[in-house]
Structures are given as structure tokens and as C-alpha cells.
Amino acid sequence: TAYPLRTFETFTQDPLNVLLSTFSKINRDGEGVAVQFVIRPAGKSFNTHYKFVLDQIKKGVKPKDALKGALSQVASEFASIAKSMIFGEKEKKVEVYDEESKNIAEKIASPIVDTNIRIIASAETAVRAEAMLNEVESAFNQFGKPQANEIKWKRETKGANLMEAIYRYTFRMFNEKESFPLNLREIATMFHFPVTTTSSPELKEAK
């Protein structure tokens, strides 16, 4: 999550149009789809943490180790020191991770907030509801950035887990397990007022 998604500067047209077009395929009667963003302010916690990660990477720490946190780094450094004591000290080459550093710098260039993204679909059959989910989920694939980040979905289709998901959706409750830190540029890319007239008359705004 320290790496960014694609933002509006990299699109040649409004990416929201792709998402809204999926609503035009929904039948007016007996079907419905909702996309919900639940956003919780996080102060500077994510930006500060990711800035620390970036600083560690610039010092030559492997990105995966830097992302694991301080305890993992201490253990790695301890092992490195122990190895040097046994086999002798060798000149340490500082690794350069330009792409990772660039990605994290892009992520922290804008304030980061804690985010839940949910999709709810309803239809006369489970097969149709899943097909509608597939359509909307696919529309979010465009925000994936190669070698950086992408959106992956976890589905709840039956039982107590589904009822809990509907409950959280209904009352706009934040779920820590679904935490997906996004900066404001990423959110603005996915969620904003359409810049052109939408061709999806079925779209309704929740009050």
C-alpha cells in the first residue's frame, strides 16, 4: 500500500466514464449496484511512515524489508553484523532502487487517508449479481499501476459474512480489515463529479 495507483495525469480521458458505463448495463427493474467509498482521516501517520520507508530504501535497504517495519530491519541488521563478525567485514555496496523510491515519493506527495471501497450488487439470481460485480470490478482495473499497486477485491457472497458486509455498507461503517490507504489524488481520480454528461441514466446518488 506504500505504492501508488494510477492518477488522472496518466489518463487520456476521464477514467470515471469507464466506471459509469457499467451502470448503463443494469436493468432498471430488479437490479442495482452501488459503489461506496468510506474515508477516514489519518493525520500524517501514513505519510510519516511511508517517508521513513523511503528514507530506508534510499540508504540501500531492500524495499520489502523496509516495508516490513523496524523490527524486521533490526533482525536483518543483527544477522548482517553477526555474519561480518564470523566471516569478516566486506565493503558494502549500497543498492539503488530508483523505481521503488519514485513510486513511494509519488504516494506521499499528497495527504493519505484510510479508505474502504465497497461494491454491492443485487439481482434476481446470484449468477446475474456476480456478473454485475465482475463488470464493476473490471472498471477499477484501469487504476492499477504496473510494478506499483492495484485494487484486489474480497467477495462476500453468502452467510454471516455477507450480512455483516451489507450492515457495514448500510451504515457506512469503516472496517479496519479492509483498510486501503489512498492519497487524495488517487481518490480524486476514482471519485469526482463527471466532467461530461453521463450516459448512465440508471445512476443514482445516495442521500
Side-chain angles (χ1 to χ4, degrees), residues 52-67 73 76-77 80 92-98 100-101:
F52 172 78
V53 171
L54 176 60
D55 290 341
Q56 294 301 301
I57 292 174
K58 287 182 176 180
K59 292 178 182 178
V61 177
K62 294 180 180 180
K64 65 177 182 179
D65 291 334
L67 289 167
Q73 291 180 42
S76 179
E77 289 177 7
S80 178
K92 186 176 181 180
K93 181 181 178 181
V94 177
E95 297 289 342
V96 178
Y97 302 97
D98 288 335
E100 291 84 351
S101 297

Side-chain angles (χ1 to χ4, degrees), residues 8 11-25 135-136 138-140 142-143 188-201 203:
F8 53 85
F11 288 91
T12 57
Q13 59 181 0
D14 189 352
L16 185 61
N17 290 340
V18 177
L19 177 58
L20 295 183
S21 68
T22 63
F23 286 83
S24 65
K25 302 174 184 179
E135 287 279 353
V136 181
S138 296
F140 280 89
Q142 63 183 319
F143 302 113
T189 301
M190 291 185 280
F191 179 71
H192 53 269
F193 289 111
V195 295
T196 57
T197 303
T198 177
S199 60
S200 305
L203 182 66

Side-chain angles (χ1 to χ4, degrees), residues 141-203:
N141 290 341
Q142 63 183 319
F143 302 113
K145 184 174 182 180
Q147 309 302 318
N149 206 353
E150 62 181 352
I151 300 174
K152 293 184 178 180
W153 302 97
K154 178 184 177 183
R155 288 193 182 181
E156 305 292 357
T157 58
K158 58 184 178 180
N161 289 338
L162 175 59
M163 296 308 297
E164 181 180 351
I166 293 174
Y167 179 81
R168 291 183 182 278
Y169 162 76
T170 302
F171 294 99
R172 299 177 174 87
M173 297 174 65
F174 191 88
N175 187 355
E176 294 286 353
K177 295 180 181 178
E178 299 172 359
S179 174
F180 190 33
L182 295 173
N183 68 31
L184 298 185
R185 298 179 77 86
E186 292 170 311
I187 292 175
T189 301
M190 291 185 280
F191 179 71
H192 53 269
F193 289 111
V195 295
T196 57
T197 303
T198 177
S199 60
S200 305
E202 296 83 0
L203 182 66

Side-chain angles (χ1 to χ4, degrees), residues 38-164:
V38 180
I39 299 170
R40 183 177 68 177
K44 296 181 179 180
S45 60
F46 287 117
N47 291 75
T48 300
H49 174 62
Y50 295 157
K51 176 64 167 60
F52 172 78
V53 171
L54 176 60
D55 290 341
Q56 294 301 301
I57 292 174
K58 287 182 176 180
K59 292 178 182 178
V61 177
K62 294 180 180 180
K64 65 177 182 179
D65 291 334
L67 289 167
K68 287 180 181 178
L71 290 178
S72 175
Q73 291 180 42
V74 169
S76 179
E77 289 177 7
F78 179 80
S80 178
I81 292 173
K83 184 177 180 181
S84 66
M85 291 175 64
I86 297 172
F87 299 103
E89 187 74 30
K90 294 183 179 180
E91 184 178 353
K92 186 176 181 180
K93 181 181 178 181
V94 177
E95 297 289 342
V96 178
Y97 302 97
D98 288 335
E99 189 65 26
E100 291 84 351
S101 297
K102 180 180 177 182
N103 280 328
I104 297 177
E106 180 182 330
K107 184 77 171 188
I108 65 177
S110 179
I112 300 172
V113 294
D114 224 347
T115 311
N116 287 171
I117 307 176
R118 300 183 180 119
I119 303 172
I120 298 289
S122 176
E124 293 182 353
T125 67
V127 173
R128 174 55 182 159
E130 292 220 8
M132 292 158 61
L133 282 176
N134 288 335
E135 287 279 353
V136 181
E137 288 175 358
S138 296
F140 280 89
N141 290 341
Q142 63 183 319
F143 302 113
K145 184 174 182 180
Q147 309 302 318
N149 206 353
E150 62 181 352
I151 300 174
K152 293 184 178 180
W153 302 97
K154 178 184 177 183
R155 288 193 182 181
E156 305 292 357
T157 58
K158 58 184 178 180
N161 289 338
L162 175 59
M163 296 308 297
E164 181 180 351

